[in-house]
Amino acid sequence: MLAGVIGAVVGIAAFAISQTGGQLLSVVVGALAGVAVVLGAHLYRRSAQLTEVQLSLAGNVLTFTANTDMRQAALRMFFQAATRVATRPLEDGTGNLREALTSLKNLFDLYREPIESGTAPPPPLRGDSVHEIVLDILNFELAPFLSKWHPRLRLWEESEAGRNGEADWPENAAFREELRELQVRLREYVVALGRIAGLRDPERHLRRSDRPTRPTMDAGRPDVPPISGVPDQRQSGPTHGASPLPPPDGAS
């Protein structure tokens, strides 16, 4: 509507300058020109920087012609999964299984909502849609896992023995093992979403951080002076019988 008004004003101005007659025609032509410019810019934004991405998922070769909308959708879904237990490790004896299930259920809802509400980008004219990956994640991965383990854990939590916590749950180890298997399968889908989004190295965001601490990096370097007031261990040597410092909380 705004484009039509601007075009009409342009048409009136053109009429006043040219004084060739036909004011109404000039207004209509100007309005149509304004609408065409705005629609053209909108279509260009949606189709700009078309990128063809070919991926192999579950033995199937899929080809994605990704435009701006598809890349944005893929990027959003990538980081929704990359920051949850769907891809982050849950070591034995750590974490909370109920919270892990809740996180997976929230991811399920986040992935399903755009498809059901109609806010998802329309399917491309050629190639596969990014939401075909999402449907596979929902139907073949998340839904079976949730439908199996949610009622089992809830039954334990509501039992007399369940008051002692999840550590005593007889199926604790089996749950964690199947969760690890689910994470391996989901990782392939999530990396595919990252590649469609245009991330240079999506697997980097899913790897465990094993960065060394600064003392380890500086150890043995002759150009690093000792801190004032602290003995230089490179000269005095380690104290016999001393144990190394424990790792920081959360380090594995």
Side-chain angles (χ1 to χ4, degrees):
M1 185 179 297
L2 180 60
V5 172
I6 295 175
V9 173
V10 173
I12 293 175
F15 169 79
I17 295 174
S18 62
Q19 296 182 353
T20 58
Q23 182 176 9
L24 179 60
L25 178 61
S26 298
V27 172
V28 173
V29 171
L32 293 177
V35 172
V37 169
V38 173
L39 289 179
H42 177 68
L43 292 176
Y44 175 79
R45 182 189 66 82
R46 294 189 58 182
S47 61
Q49 298 180 354
L50 288 176
T51 304
E52 186 171 286
V53 182
Q54 192 173 73
L55 300 171
S56 177
L57 284 173
N60 299 318
V61 177
L62 304 177
T63 301
F64 301 87
T65 303
N67 57 15
T68 301
D69 288 342
M70 183 183 293
R71 283 192 293 270
Q72 290 177 345
L75 183 64
R76 182 170 57 253
M77 290 182 290
F78 173 84
F79 282 112
Q80 285 171 344
T83 56
R84 295 176 181 271
V85 74
T87 57
R88 309 312 302 166
L90 186 67
E91 303 295 344
D92 291 339
T94 65
N96 182 280
L97 305 189
R98 170 53 62 192
E99 292 181 0
L101 277 175
T102 301
S103 177
L104 293 175
K105 177 59 168 62
N106 291 340
L107 181 64
F108 185 96
D109 294 337
L110 286 171
Y111 277 9
R112 184 176 60 180
E113 192 276 333
I115 300 177
E116 293 187 343
S117 64
T119 59
L125 297 179
R126 69 178 190 275
D128 298 288
S129 170
V130 67
H131 286 92
E132 295 180 46
I133 297 180
V134 176
L135 286 174
D136 287 348
I137 293 175
L138 295 177
N139 293 334
F140 305 138
E141 303 298 346
L142 291 179
F145 186 88
L146 291 171
S147 62
K148 174 180 179 177
W149 288 108
H150 174 71
R152 293 189 181 188
L153 181 57
R154 182 175 59 185
L155 184 64
W156 167 257
E157 292 170 335
E158 295 175 352
S159 67
E160 185 71 22
R163 296 181 180 179
N164 297 328
E166 299 173 348
D168 295 333
W169 186 30
E171 295 190 280
N172 187 303
F175 175 94
R176 292 176 181 273
E177 179 61 28
E178 290 199 17
L179 176 61
R180 282 189 285 267
E181 295 173 357
L182 174 68
Q183 290 170 333
V184 171
R185 297 193 301 270
L186 288 177
R187 183 187 183 95
E188 181 181 9
Y189 292 103
V190 176
V191 169
L193 290 172
R195 289 177 179 168
I196 295 171
L199 295 178
R200 182 171 58 86
D201 184 13
E203 295 187 52
R204 177 175 66 87
H205 301 283
L206 305 181
R207 288 194 291 264
R208 184 195 301 256
S209 177
D210 293 324
R211 297 177 181 175
T213 58
R214 184 173 296 275
T216 302
M217 296 174 63
D218 293 340
R221 288 179 51 186
D223 57 331
V224 179
I227 301 176
S228 177
V230 179
D232 187 356
Q233 294 184 357
R234 289 173 298 174
Q235 298 177 0
S236 59
T239 303
H240 294 289
S243 59
L245 292 177
D249 294 341
S252 57

